[in-house]
Amino acid sequence: MQVEREMQQVQEVKRLEIEARSFFMYIEEEIRRSDQFETPTSYVLRFRDDAGGTIMYWMTGNRLCRQVNGTGYVVILQYVSRVDFTVFPNGCQVYIELTKGGVSWKGEVFIAKRVELAA
């Protein structure tokens, strides 16, 4: 019985990791095409995309949401127990903790902005 429970926990951690890594891939693509980053709080990230739209990510409850140009929103990630966005001159660091059913996964990634090279 104990081994079965531990196996379920391992599987749940793997599911959380897959969710987190999918989110990291998504936000990485968006950040690379963007600029004018700001973090009014550690759990809110706002920036401009390459089309001039305003993108905002924020944590509410145990969800991470995404909004474009101040209208509507999409839940982009669930089971979020903590998120921290840190802006640097050359990109953004994203740290997340996911928790579900007594197990958790933690991870972070630094995403560099797109670099324009002179011809």
Side-chain angles (χ1 to χ4, degrees):
M1 190 60 116
Q2 179 66 20
V3 171
E4 187 175 305
R5 184 165 189 245
E6 289 175 7
M7 290 298 293
Q8 288 175 339
Q9 288 178 332
V10 167
Q11 289 175 346
E12 196 59 51
V13 169
K14 287 182 181 182
R15 284 188 203 109
L16 291 175
E17 181 179 6
I18 289 168
E19 291 286 325
R21 292 193 185 283
S22 296
F23 164 70
F24 283 150
M25 287 177 21
Y26 182 86
I27 197 170
E28 179 178 11
E29 185 65 30
E30 196 161 53
I31 285 176
R32 288 190 188 274
R33 298 186 321 259
S34 304
D35 62 8
Q36 297 180 8
F37 299 94
E38 60 183 25
T39 52
T41 68
S42 65
Y43 58 89
V44 174
L45 174 65
R46 193 174 319 142
F47 55 90
R48 292 240 177 233
D49 66 9
D50 57 353
T54 300
I55 309 293
M56 186 168 77
Y57 286 87
W58 79 95
M59 182 177 166
T60 180
N62 67 345
R63 297 178 178 149
L64 190 65
C65 298
R66 178 183 179 271
Q67 182 180 59
V68 178
N69 293 329
T71 59
Y73 68 91
V74 173
V75 175
I76 200 90
L77 190 60
Q78 298 185 87
Y79 314 114
V80 180
S81 53
R82 180 177 168 198
V83 64
D84 283 310
F85 297 106
T86 307
V87 173
F88 295 94
N90 60 339
C92 181
Q93 182 171 320
V94 181
Y95 172 86
I96 58 172
E97 292 180 15
L98 304 180
T99 303
K100 181 181 179 192
V103 297
S104 62
W105 185 91
K106 302 172 185 178
E108 67 184 323
V109 64
F110 179 81
I111 304 166
K113 295 189 309 186
R114 171 185 64 209
V115 176
E116 302 284 335
L117 299 177

